[in-house]
Amino acid sequence: MRLEELRKQKGWTQKQVAQEVGLQLEVYRRYEKEIYEPPVSVVIRLMELYGCSADDLLGLNDQQKGRE
């Protein structure tokens, strides 16, 4: 997942993102560190927050570029 990268591009803190998507800070940190995977409902909220697709959020476009 590209959570940290996208967050830093926006200049936001982990606390700000967690509040925007309705999560406890520690839960968001675990998603960003890839300790846990967020449920689909959280992925959707993050896509809306960052204005990106699921592929972009999950880094799938980066993986596909490496295969070409």
Side-chain angles (χ1 to χ4, degrees):
M1 293 192 98
R2 298 179 53 223
L3 295 178
E4 182 177 10
E5 179 184 342
L6 291 167
R7 176 180 58 79
K8 287 182 176 182
Q9 284 176 0
K10 297 285 189 180
W12 296 336
T13 64
Q14 288 179 328
K15 184 176 181 178
Q16 288 172 311
V17 174
Q19 288 175 336
E20 283 294 318
V21 295
L23 298 171
Q24 293 179 358
L25 177 57
E26 190 56 37
V27 171
Y28 176 77
R29 285 183 176 154
R30 289 177 181 158
Y31 294 153
E32 195 170 286
K33 291 179 182 179
E34 298 187 23
I35 295 170
Y36 297 128
E37 291 188 13
V40 172
S41 60
V42 173
V43 171
I44 291 169
R45 288 187 297 216
L46 289 165
M47 288 173 12
E48 291 170 347
L49 178 66
Y50 291 121
C52 68
S53 69
D55 286 351
D56 289 336
L57 184 70
L58 300 173
L60 297 177
N61 289 333
D62 297 338
Q63 292 175 359
Q64 291 171 354
K65 287 178 186 174
R67 292 185 199 154
E68 294 176 356

